[in-house]
């Protein structure tokens, strides 16, 4: 997997940083370390976020300050323009997003999967895992517990 150049869409809020939109939350453990490693390995990173306008600009600049230059932002390619006949779905190999079904796996696990020969892979134990614990959610199909 590591020899092929990958195009990877990365969400911002809840994925790179804790979800504090429109503020910028704390950086999630290892987020920029893994993103920089992916970038250094030649992979293309696309910021894939609902942010727009000045909030989007803040996120892009925040990532730039942390050494990440996105190949494109909310597009498949840097120069892509949209019209109503072009799909808004972007063309990537992988999506990294805290809204994945099953929850966010954490950056350590992402490194293991996408950079299997990384010297920075740690033996992940329960104590060192950066996987976000799942919040207990109300079951919206069946309503609140009475
Ligand atoms: Mg998110």
């Amino acid at each position: 997997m590591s020899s092929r150049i990958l195009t990877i869409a990365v969400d911002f809020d809840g994925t790179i940083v804790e979800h504090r939109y429109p503020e910028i939350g704390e950086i999630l453990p290892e987020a920029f370390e893994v993103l920089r490693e992916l970038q250094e390995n030649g992979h293309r990173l696309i910021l894939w976020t609902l942010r727009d306008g000045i909030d989007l600009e803040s996120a892009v600049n925040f990532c730039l300050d942390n050494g990440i230059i996105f190949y494109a932002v909310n597009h498949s390619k840097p120069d892509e323009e949209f019209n109503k006949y072009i799909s808004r779905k972007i063309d990537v190999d992988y999506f990294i997003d805290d809204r994945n079904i099953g929850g966010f796996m954490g950056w350590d696990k992402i490194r293991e999967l996408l950079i299997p020969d990384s010297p920075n892979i740690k033996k992940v134990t329960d104590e060192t895992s950066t996987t976000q614990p799942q919040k207990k959610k109300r079951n919206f199909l069946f309503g609140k517990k009475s």
Side-chain angles (χ1 to χ4, degrees):
M1 194 189 277
S2 58
S3 57
R4 188 164 71 91
I5 298 301
L6 300 173
T7 304
I8 303 164
V10 188
D11 173 52
F12 187 71
D13 297 285
T15 299
I16 295 176
V17 296
E18 287 174 5
H19 207 301
R20 296 282 184 274
Y21 177 83
E23 308 298 317
I24 292 179
E26 291 292 313
I27 300 169
L28 285 176
E30 296 292 299
F32 282 115
E33 287 81 356
V34 175
L35 287 169
R36 285 193 295 265
E37 211 174 330
L38 287 166
Q39 185 171 260
E40 284 157 16
N41 279 275
H43 300 304
R44 287 173 170 170
L45 303 175
I46 295 179
L47 187 64
W48 184 230
T49 173
L50 280 169
R51 283 177 178 251
D52 61 5
I54 192 132
D55 298 329
L56 176 59
E57 208 175 301
S58 309
V60 170
N61 287 332
F62 185 78
C63 292
L64 187 61
D65 290 344
N66 284 281
I68 298 303
I69 299 165
F70 291 108
Y71 170 70
V73 175
N74 287 343
H75 290 261
S76 294
K77 292 176 184 154
D79 54 355
E80 185 182 49
E81 283 177 27
F82 284 138
N83 65 48
K84 65 180 180 179
Y85 301 107
I86 295 176
S87 171
R88 296 205 294 174
K89 183 170 180 177
I90 59 169
D91 181 19
V92 296
D93 296 298
Y94 296 108
F95 290 89
I96 299 175
D97 198 305
D98 63 306
R99 297 286 176 88
N100 288 336
I101 192 161
F104 184 60
M105 65 174 63
W107 287 98
D108 282 334
K109 187 73 190 164
I110 291 164
R111 176 189 277 129
E112 279 179 48
L113 292 174
L114 295 181
I115 321 166
D117 53 358
S118 169
N120 299 315
I121 291 175
K122 301 169 201 147
K123 205 86 181 128
V124 177
T125 65
D126 288 345
E127 296 89 74
T128 59
S129 173
T130 57
T131 304
Q132 296 299 295
Q134 292 294 295
K135 283 180 199 143
K136 285 208 170 133
K137 284 181 187 152
R138 183 162 64 86
N139 185 331
F140 60 88
L141 286 181
F142 300 103
K144 298 182 253 203
K145 276 194 263 178
S146 51

